[in-house]
Amino acid sequence: MKLHASGEDCLEAVLVLPKKLSIVRSVDVARHMEVTKPSVCHAVATLKEGGFLTMDEDFSLHLTDLGREIAEQTYEKHRFFTDLLTEAGVDPVTAEKDACRMEHVISQESFEHLKNAYKTKEE
């Protein structure tokens, strides 16, 4: 199942929110992403159907192994591009917004090459 940017963003939110909250529900994801709860509910239903998320009896969201893998890849790209843009002099708010778009359009292969080239250049 091919995920859209909104699905990847939702998985990423479920990955990072436990650092702030003891449990993560759809309303927390909606607040974090600054979207409506119905949008997140639709995304959650799609992600559950695709095997990326589960929801327990208290409506707490949990990543499956597949969902965690996608969320971690997306988050790694997000952090990389945010840091790279900030280091280049882009203001942090703009860097964060641009990184969020960039993380979805670059292939994993291109990202790995870029990350390795940047790492090599730093060493």
Side-chain angles (χ1 to χ4, degrees):
M1 172 181 197
K2 172 76 172 118
L3 287 179
H4 296 282
S6 60
E8 289 178 349
D9 285 341
C10 188
L11 293 175
E12 187 179 359
V14 175
L15 177 72
V16 300
L17 282 172
K19 295 172 183 158
K20 300 177 193 176
L21 307 170
S22 57
I23 60 171
V24 177
R25 294 188 176 118
S26 294
V27 67
D28 304 311
V29 174
R31 282 190 200 119
H32 177 79
M33 294 175 60
E34 299 179 343
V35 297
T36 65
K37 189 171 180 297
S39 303
V40 171
C41 288
H42 176 72
V44 165
T46 302
L47 292 168
K48 283 173 41 183
E49 187 177 300
F52 299 99
L53 277 180
T54 62
M55 183 185 292
D56 59 25
E57 62 280 344
D58 69 351
F59 302 102
S60 180
L61 300 173
H62 305 279
L63 295 168
T64 63
D65 290 341
L66 177 60
R68 179 166 301 283
E69 181 181 333
I70 301 295
E72 288 174 349
Q73 287 175 354
T74 304
Y75 187 63
E76 180 185 22
K77 291 175 188 177
H78 185 94
R79 295 291 356 127
F80 176 82
F81 287 121
T82 300
D83 293 346
L84 187 66
L85 291 168
T86 304
E87 287 173 22
V90 177
D91 76 271
V93 173
T94 302
E96 190 77 29
K97 288 178 184 176
D98 288 346
C100 193
R101 288 191 293 271
M102 295 166 79
E103 71 194 32
H104 301 296
V105 296
I106 192 168
S107 69
Q108 189 64 32
E109 179 184 1
S110 293
F111 174 69
E112 292 296 330
H113 284 283
L114 184 62
K115 182 176 72 171
N116 291 335
Y118 188 73
K119 207 182 291 183
T120 303
K121 187 177 179 182
E122 284 188 328
E123 295 169 353

